[in-house]
Amino acid sequence: MKLTDFDFDLPESLIAQHPLKNRSDSKLLVMDKKSGDVEDRHFHNILEYLKEGDVLVLNNTRVLPARLHGHKKDSGGHVEMLLLNPETDGYKVLIKPARRVHVGTEIVFGDGELTATAVEKHDNGIFIVKLNYEGILEEVLDGLGEMPLPPYIREQLDDKERYQTVFSKHSGSAAAPTAGLHFTTELLERIEAKGVDIVYITLHVGLGTFRPVAVDNIEEHDMHSEFYSIEKSAAERLNQAKENGDRIISVGTTSTRTLEANFRKYETFTATSDWTNIFIYPGQDILSVDGLITNFHLPKSTLLMLVSTFSTRENILSAYNHAIQNNYRFFSFGDAMLII
C-alpha cells in the first residue's frame, strides 16, 4: 500500500485547539465496521452501544510534563528538550536545535533544579542524556516542564490535567492516549453499572507519535518501540472474554497496539512488561479486539492506518469525509469515533 492511499484534505479550522469544557460532550461518529454505515451522536451516548459482558480496555498511562526549556551551561544558548523514555544508560530525548548540542554539552533547566548532560548523539535530534536532580523526577518536571502538546496545537493549557485522562496512573508518556480524554469519572461509573468490565493496561506513548511516515511503501516504515505492561488480573479477564465470546473494545490506538502485540506474541493474553514496535495496517487481521474507540487522526499517519484495519480503508476515509462535512473536530482535543 502507498502512503498516498491514506491522504485526505482537512480544513485547518477543524483542528481542535482546546478541549471542550465537558469531556463527554464531544461528538461521536459511530461506524458499522462491516457495512461502513455511520451515525452522528455525542460521546455520552456511548452507553447505548456497550452491553453487559463487554470488556472496555483503557490505557492508564500518565503524561509527563516533558517539554523543557533550558540553556547551555557554557554559552547560555536556548535549548528545548522533550523527554521520550528512560534507557539503560540514561534518558532518550529530542533536542532542538540539535546542531548546537554535542556529546558532553550540559543543559541547565530552571535555576539548576535539573541538568542534562549529553552522552550520545543520534540522528534527527535524538540524544541520550544523563539527568541530574534531587528528589523525584515527576515532581521536578511538574515545576519546570510543559505538557508536550502536538505541534498543531498552538496554545499551552491553563490546566495541565486536561491533557490527562481522568484514570491516568502510571507516569511515562510523551503524549496522551487521546481517545481516553472523552471519559469522565461519572461516565465510567455508568458504564460499569451497565455490566461492562473495565480493564486497565499501560502503554507509554513515545517517539512514534511524533514521527511521520517518510516512505512511499508503508510496509517499509519502521516503528519506534514503546513500553507496555499488562497485569495478571487484566490478562485473566481478557482471556475469559475470549473464551466466553464477549466483546473486547479498546479505547485508543495505544490500547490496541498493546493488546495486539501481546496476543500475537503469546497467542493468548499474558501478564508481562515488554517493548513493542508493532505496526498495524490494512491487510493484517486484528486478533485481539472486536471494537475501537478512537479520535480522528492525521492524514498519512500510522494511526489512520491502524484504524483502517478495523474495517476497510475506503470505509474509514468515507467516514472521515462525513466527519469533515459535518464539522467534527480533529486530532488530540477533537471528537471521537466508535467502530464496532
Side-chain angles (χ1 to χ4, degrees):
M1 280 188 150
K2 298 298 183 182
L3 184 60
T4 51
D5 292 337
F6 298 90
D7 198 9
F8 62 92
D9 293 323
L10 179 69
E12 188 174 349
S13 61
L14 296 184
I15 300 174
Q17 292 298 314
H18 53 80
L20 296 179
K21 181 178 180 180
N22 298 311
R23 291 174 183 257
S24 61
D25 284 348
S26 57
K27 292 181 181 181
L28 177 68
L29 183 64
V30 181
M31 193 191 90
D32 183 301
K33 63 183 180 182
K34 293 183 179 179
S35 68
D37 293 341
V38 298
E39 56 181 321
D40 300 304
R41 305 301 303 274
H42 284 89
F43 196 81
H44 50 76
N45 298 128
I46 197 83
L47 276 166
E48 300 175 26
Y49 300 91
L50 301 176
K51 60 187 181 182
E52 184 177 355
D54 285 346
V55 178
L56 189 68
V57 184
L58 300 169
N59 181 5
N60 63 7
T61 188
R62 186 167 175 82
V63 185
L64 290 169
R67 178 167 282 119
L68 297 155
H69 295 275
H71 63 272
K72 294 200 298 180
K73 185 177 181 179
D74 58 357
S75 68
H78 175 264
V79 174
E80 178 182 315
M81 185 172 80
L82 176 64
L83 301 181
L84 296 174
N85 51 259
E87 299 280 321
T88 304
D89 50 354
Y91 219 104
K92 180 182 285 187
V93 301
L94 179 65
I95 290 179
K96 299 178 182 178
R99 67 183 184 279
R100 298 180 183 175
V101 177
H102 307 281
V103 171
T105 297
E106 185 175 352
I107 306 166
V108 180
F109 301 95
D111 293 323
E113 298 97 322
L114 174 70
T115 64
T117 303
V119 294
E120 294 181 24
K121 182 173 184 176
H122 301 279
D123 294 334
N124 302 316
I126 301 298
F127 290 78
I128 305 296
V129 301
K130 180 181 179 182
L131 299 179
N132 300 283
Y133 55 91
E134 292 185 2
I136 300 171
L137 178 60
E138 286 80 1
E139 294 179 356
V140 174
L141 293 175
D142 280 338
L144 295 174
E146 299 174 351
M147 278 297 173
L149 299 178
Y152 48 77
I153 296 176
R154 295 183 292 274
E155 301 176 10
Q156 279 296 314
L157 288 175
D158 294 330
D159 178 6
K160 292 180 180 179
E161 285 301 307
R162 289 313 308 270
Y163 196 54
Q164 305 280 14
T165 63
V166 298
F167 47 84
S168 63
K169 183 177 181 180
H170 301 295
S171 293
S173 273
T178 54
L181 295 177
H182 304 281
F183 288 90
T184 63
T185 301
E186 178 189 9
L187 181 56
L188 289 170
E189 290 172 352
R190 292 172 65 194
I191 288 171
E192 286 188 299
K194 193 169 182 178
V196 176
D197 285 337
I198 296 177
V199 167
Y200 295 98
I201 53 87
T202 305
L203 181 136
H204 292 320
V205 187
L207 180 63
T209 295
F210 302 92
R211 188 166 170 255
V213 178
V215 293
D216 292 330
N217 181 357
I218 66 168
E219 296 178 27
E220 297 174 359
H221 177 68
D222 292 324
M223 291 286 287
H224 277 68
S225 292
E226 295 172 314
F227 177 82
Y228 78 87
S229 180
I230 298 177
E231 296 183 358
K232 182 179 179 182
S233 59
E236 289 175 348
R237 180 62 188 95
L238 290 164
N239 284 324
Q240 183 185 51
K242 280 289 188 186
E243 292 170 8
N244 295 344
D246 296 330
R247 296 188 305 178
I248 298 173
I249 300 167
S250 60
V251 177
T253 57
T254 61
S255 295
T256 304
R257 293 185 72 237
T258 301
L259 297 178
E260 193 67 11
N262 185 263
F263 196 85
R264 288 187 190 182
K265 183 173 182 178
Y266 299 105
E267 298 184 349
T268 185
F269 293 110
T270 302
T272 187
S273 294
D274 202 352
W275 292 80
T276 180
N277 64 348
I278 190 171
F279 179 23
I280 302 171
Y281 53 86
Q284 303 177 29
D285 291 326
I286 298 291
L287 304 176
S288 61
V289 174
D290 303 293
L292 172 67
I293 299 169
T294 185
N295 279 23
F296 292 94
H297 302 292
L298 278 74
K300 299 191 288 188
S301 65
T302 59
L303 305 181
L304 177 57
M305 296 168 195
L306 183 154
V307 171
S308 298
T309 311
F310 276 82
S311 180
T312 66
R313 180 185 64 87
E314 292 79 10
N315 282 348
I316 296 299
L317 290 179
S318 176
Y320 269 50
N321 183 62
H322 175 91
I324 291 168
Q325 296 303 316
N326 288 273
N327 295 312
Y328 278 68
R329 302 163 78 239
F330 274 63
F331 306 162
S332 294
F333 288 141
D335 296 314
M337 184 177 186
L338 169 64
I339 306 171
I340 203 162

